[in-house]
Amino acid sequence: MIHVGKMIKAEFDKHPKAHTVVWFAEQLSCGRNNIYDIFSRKAIDTDLLVRISHILQHDFFLDISCEMARAGLTDTVGNGSQ
Protein backbone atom coordinates (compact mmCIF):
# COMPACT_ATOMS: atom_id res chain seq x y z
CA MET A 1 0.00 0.00 0.00
CA ILE A 2 1.15 3.52 -0.77
CA HIS A 3 2.18 5.60 2.25
CA VAL A 4 1.91 9.18 1.01
CA GLY A 5 3.47 10.70 4.13
CA LYS A 6 6.62 8.64 3.66
CA MET A 7 6.77 9.74 0.02
CA ILE A 8 6.52 13.39 1.08
CA LYS A 9 9.17 12.94 3.78
CA ALA A 10 11.56 11.26 1.34
CA GLU A 11 11.18 14.12 -1.14
CA PHE A 12 11.46 16.74 1.60
CA ASP A 13 14.73 15.14 2.75
CA LYS A 14 16.20 15.69 -0.75
CA HIS A 15 15.82 19.46 -0.40
CA PRO A 16 18.59 21.79 0.76
CA LYS A 17 19.25 21.94 4.50
CA ALA A 18 17.86 25.50 4.49
CA HIS A 19 14.48 23.91 3.85
CA THR A 20 13.76 22.91 7.41
CA VAL A 21 10.53 21.61 8.89
CA VAL A 22 9.89 25.16 10.10
CA TRP A 23 10.36 26.44 6.53
CA PHE A 24 7.98 23.77 5.21
CA ALA A 25 5.40 24.64 7.89
CA GLU A 26 5.63 28.33 6.95
CA GLN A 27 5.09 27.47 3.29
CA LEU A 28 1.95 25.48 4.20
CA SER A 29 0.81 28.08 6.77
CA CYS A 30 0.71 25.58 9.60
CA GLY A 31 2.70 24.57 12.65
CA ARG A 32 5.70 22.26 12.50
CA ASN A 33 3.82 19.60 14.46
CA ASN A 34 1.40 19.45 11.51
CA ILE A 35 4.34 18.67 9.22
CA TYR A 36 5.33 15.69 11.35
CA ASP A 37 1.67 14.62 11.27
CA ILE A 38 1.71 14.83 7.45
CA PHE A 39 4.85 12.67 7.34
CA SER A 40 3.05 10.00 9.37
CA ARG A 41 -0.14 9.90 7.27
CA LYS A 42 -0.82 6.97 4.96
CA ALA A 43 -3.38 9.04 3.04
CA ILE A 44 -3.77 12.76 2.48
CA ASP A 45 -6.34 15.20 1.10
CA THR A 46 -5.75 15.91 -2.59
CA ASP A 47 -5.92 19.70 -2.14
CA LEU A 48 -3.17 19.50 0.48
CA LEU A 49 -1.13 17.19 -1.76
CA VAL A 50 -1.40 19.72 -4.61
CA ARG A 51 -0.04 22.44 -2.31
CA ILE A 52 2.78 20.19 -1.09
CA SER A 53 3.62 19.20 -4.68
CA HIS A 54 3.89 22.87 -5.60
CA ILE A 55 6.04 23.76 -2.57
CA LEU A 56 8.41 20.83 -3.01
CA GLN A 57 8.27 21.10 -6.82
CA HIS A 58 7.51 17.39 -7.14
CA ASP A 59 4.61 15.55 -8.78
CA PHE A 60 3.40 13.16 -6.07
CA PHE A 61 0.38 12.29 -8.22
CA LEU A 62 2.72 10.83 -10.83
CA ASP A 63 4.49 8.84 -8.10
CA ILE A 64 1.15 7.46 -6.93
CA SER A 65 0.12 6.56 -10.49
CA CYS A 66 3.41 4.75 -11.08
CA GLU A 67 3.10 2.88 -7.80
CA MET A 68 -0.44 1.85 -8.72
CA ALA A 69 0.78 0.60 -12.10
CA ARG A 70 3.52 -1.45 -10.42
CA ALA A 71 0.90 -2.95 -8.12
CA GLY A 72 -1.35 -3.78 -11.08
CA LEU A 73 -4.11 -1.42 -9.95
CA THR A 74 -4.34 0.77 -13.05
CA ASP A 75 -6.14 -1.60 -15.40
CA THR A 76 -9.53 -0.50 -14.04
CA VAL A 77 -8.65 2.98 -12.81
CA GLY A 78 -8.97 6.01 -15.04
CA ASN A 79 -9.33 4.22 -18.35
CA GLY A 80 -12.92 5.29 -18.93
CA SER A 81 -14.40 1.78 -18.83
CA GLN A 82 -17.01 0.78 -16.30
Side-chain angles (χ1 to χ4, degrees):
M1 187 65 175
I2 300 168
H3 192 293
V4 178
K6 286 182 182 179
M7 292 170 55
I8 294 167
K9 173 76 165 94
E11 185 60 32
F12 173 76
D13 287 343
K14 294 177 186 176
H15 279 250
K17 295 298 178 196
H19 291 183
T20 63
V21 170
V22 172
W23 170 86
F24 194 23
E26 288 172 354
Q27 300 302 304
L28 279 174
S29 300
C30 67
R32 60 185 206 114
N33 286 341
N34 291 31
I35 299 302
Y36 293 114
D37 177 61
I38 289 168
F39 292 159
S40 70
R41 293 182 194 174
K42 289 180 86 171
I44 194 166
D45 179 78
T46 55
D47 289 336
L48 179 56
L49 190 57
V50 167
R51 291 174 53 211
I52 291 169
S53 292
H54 178 74
I55 292 165
L56 297 181
Q57 298 179 339
H58 183 84
D59 187 351
F60 291 101
F61 295 95
L62 179 60
D63 293 345
I64 292 167
S65 291
C66 290
E67 186 62 32
M68 288 176 66
R70 278 193 286 273
L73 299 174
T74 57
D75 57 326
T76 59
V77 177
N79 66 4
S81 65
Q82 294 184 10

